Amino acid sequence: MSAPRPQALPRALPQDVRLPPPAPLARRVWKHPRLMHYNRLAVLVVAINLVLLAALEARDAVDAHTLGRLALADFALAVVIRQQYVINLLFRIAVAAPLHWPLRIRWALGKVYHFGGLHLGGALAGTVLFLAQTAALTAERAPAVVLAVSYLLVALLTVVVVMAMPPVRARHHDLFERTHRFGGWAALSLFWAQLLLSLRAEGRSPVADPGVWVLAVVTFSVVLPWLRLRRVPIRIERPSPHVAIAHFDHGQTPFAGSSTAVSRSPLTEWHSFANVPAPGRRGFRLTVSRAGDWTGAFIDDLPSHVWVKGITTAGVAHIETLFHRVVYVATGSGIGPCLPHLLAADVPSRLVWATRSPRTTYGDALVDEILAVQPDAVVWDTSENGKPDMVRLAYAAYRDFGAEAVICISNKRLTWQVVHGLERLGIPAYGAIWDS
């Protein structure tokens, strides 16, 4: 027999919950979205480059060769920081902090998933430095073949950077993904060509040049996930036209808080979903919600196999172990990334879930599984009660549960609304930043 359907909170609750006064002005400014850790890291990378350039200029050591090596170092940072093993290492270091450390330190460590700011800073600084190197090569009258490859790289890097700009990426995401992949591969090949041609023209040994070793590391980082490319069988259940639950039973059961990238056409597009392992069971599940052409086609035309590559990678909710108690805020299929943590119960947690007709949309089995581990969950049925004020709901659960932090898994607009709405009240809050 199915568990009774949870009662939604009364609609008056969001108006009845009184939010605390905002944090002091200086802290609110520091917590402004424009100053989030992602942007701070990007600015840090650019600042370090400026300091290095100033120091080299003071020694009159800025030439095409030096600019090229600095550009390669920046591009290496941009690529390697996105490597799955590096990402998992960053998370492992961050969550190793003991719980007796001050909350302010753990609060900052929880922002480890903003590492994409290093990718952005490295890519922008590397592009500018490569433009400067190309100008210097032109002024130094480098061989024509070196200049030709350099100008081609400038054009390619410009296209990649323009397609990665947030407004363009949001409107043409599929084109952005393909440009980033194929343009990145082409750029890597051209960097090798430009470097080796330049070294030959300068009479330098490739083995002795640090740029060669940097490019070798970058190439290995790019190739490594593709060495683990494989096509695996899946079993899919579709509780409603809105959702498909894909069951995987291959390889090692992933850890809670990780994600898997899957594809039906590995050279064109990849989509990452949170792994939902169940304690004591083999394999894991992915919850695929209808949110675009790819997910819609997946739900309507259920595949028997999909492609996977690389390793499972830590995601934002993996930072839960930095806190004594947490509140999970989810809307719709955002319950998927929360579920493995709720099932594992490594950290005491309270769930706030707003969704349309939960049992009809996700099926009795999944809802009962959630209620079995979260009997006090706040489940708000938007089809009956309309859309709630999620900041107030999150704050009410945070206050009543005595939590230290809130983790929000939702769409971009609502995630930013909840995360920054709580942070300006002085509450540690976390959610995806859509930087890739």
Side-chain angles (χ1 to χ4, degrees):
M1 180 179 296
S2 298
R5 185 171 182 167
Q7 292 294 318
L9 291 177
R11 291 189 64 185
L13 181 60
Q15 287 72 39
D16 293 342
V17 175
R18 178 172 296 177
L19 296 176
L25 178 60
R27 180 175 295 181
R28 294 204 309 273
V29 171
W30 188 238
K31 294 295 182 180
H32 191 278
R34 298 289 185 186
L35 296 178
M36 65 180 177
H37 292 73
Y38 181 92
N39 293 335
R40 297 180 206 173
L41 289 172
V43 171
L44 176 63
V45 173
V46 173
I48 291 174
N49 274 274
L50 291 175
V51 170
L52 287 174
L53 283 173
L56 291 169
E57 180 64 30
R59 296 164 49 191
D60 196 25
V62 177
D63 56 15
H65 181 82
T66 302
L67 290 170
R69 298 312 170 268
L70 289 176
L72 284 179
D74 281 311
F75 284 124
L77 172 65
V79 172
V80 173
I81 202 65
R82 290 287 196 191
Q83 221 290 322
Q84 294 169 318
Y85 287 98
V86 174
I87 293 172
N88 286 347
L89 177 62
L90 292 174
F91 272 90
R92 189 173 297 115
I93 294 172
V95 301
L99 288 173
H100 66 260
W101 280 16
L103 177 60
R104 181 166 297 184
I105 295 177
R106 291 181 282 127
W107 186 346
L109 289 172
K111 300 295 184 178
V112 61
Y113 60 93
H114 286 250
F115 60 83
L118 298 175
H119 170 82
L120 173 63
L124 290 178
T127 300
V128 172
L129 285 171
F130 187 78
L131 289 172
Q133 185 204 22
T134 302
L137 287 171
T138 304
E140 294 172 8
R141 299 184 181 278
V145 65
V146 173
L147 291 176
V149 174
S150 299
Y151 292 147
L152 186 57
L153 252 175
V154 166
L156 184 57
L157 291 174
T158 301
V159 171
V160 172
V161 168
V162 169
M163 290 305 304
M165 295 176 66
V168 180
R169 182 175 62 193
R171 289 195 300 268
H172 309 283
H173 188 271
D174 290 345
L175 184 58
F176 150 74
E177 185 176 345
R178 291 167 187 173
T179 302
H180 231 60
R181 178 175 299 114
F182 295 113
W185 292 348
L188 183 58
S189 300
L190 290 172
F191 270 118
W192 273 111
Q194 196 247 24
L195 176 61
L196 295 177
L197 288 169
S198 297
L199 290 175
R200 187 174 68 177
E202 297 168 5
R204 298 174 182 264
S205 169
V207 176
D209 191 272
V212 171
W213 297 104
V214 170
L215 269 184
V217 171
V218 171
T219 303
F220 178 74
S221 179
V222 171
V223 171
L224 186 57
W226 293 92
L227 297 179
R228 296 175 61 90
L229 178 69
R230 58 207 185 278
R231 187 169 179 263
V232 300
I234 58 174
R235 177 177 57 85
I236 301 179
E237 56 180 305
R238 185 172 53 190
S240 75
H242 179 70
V243 172
I245 301 175
H247 295 258
F248 291 71
D249 188 15
H250 71 281
Q252 186 176 1
T253 299
F255 58 91
S258 62
S259 63
T260 293
V262 300
S263 177
R264 300 177 75 171
S265 177
L267 288 179
T268 55
E269 58 182 329
W270 287 85
H271 299 264
S272 291
F273 299 92
N275 301 318
V276 186
R281 301 185 202 167
R282 283 177 53 86
F284 61 99
R285 295 161 285 174
L286 302 182
T287 303
V288 181
S289 179
R290 190 182 296 273
D293 294 341
W294 191 91
T295 53
F298 188 97
I299 295 170
D300 294 335
D301 179 24
L302 303 179
S304 61
H305 293 72
V306 294
W307 292 89
V308 298
K309 70 179 173 74
I311 60 173
T312 54
T313 310
V316 55
H318 193 59
I319 54 93
E320 65 165 4
T321 55
L322 284 167
F323 306 101
H324 290 93
R325 301 164 76 85
V326 300
V327 168
Y328 279 98
V329 176
T331 61
S333 59
I335 191 61
C338 301
L339 186 53
H341 300 280
L342 304 177
L343 295 176
D346 293 327
V347 177
S349 60
R350 174 69 55 82
L351 172 65
V352 177
W353 184 26
T355 186
R356 181 184 62 213
S357 305
R359 291 189 176 276
T360 301
T361 304
Y362 297 93
D364 286 334
L366 185 64
V367 174
D368 291 343
E369 187 176 14
I370 295 168
L371 295 180
V373 294
Q374 283 283 317
D376 297 323
V378 176
V379 182
W380 184 288
D381 187 342
T382 58
S383 62
E384 292 185 357
N385 301 305
K387 294 183 178 180
D389 185 326
M390 293 302 293
V391 174
R392 292 181 183 272
L393 283 184
Y395 173 73
Y398 165 86
R399 178 197 61 191
D400 297 343
F401 189 57
E404 282 191 314
V406 175
I407 299 173
C408 181
I409 309 294
S410 182
N411 57 61
K412 184 174 183 178
R413 182 190 64 80
L414 198 143
T415 296
W416 283 42
Q417 178 184 335
V418 170
V419 170
H420 298 300
L422 293 175
E423 292 239 326
R424 70 187 301 270
L425 300 176
I427 298 171
Y430 305 88
I433 52 176
W434 285 273
D435 65 325
S436 62

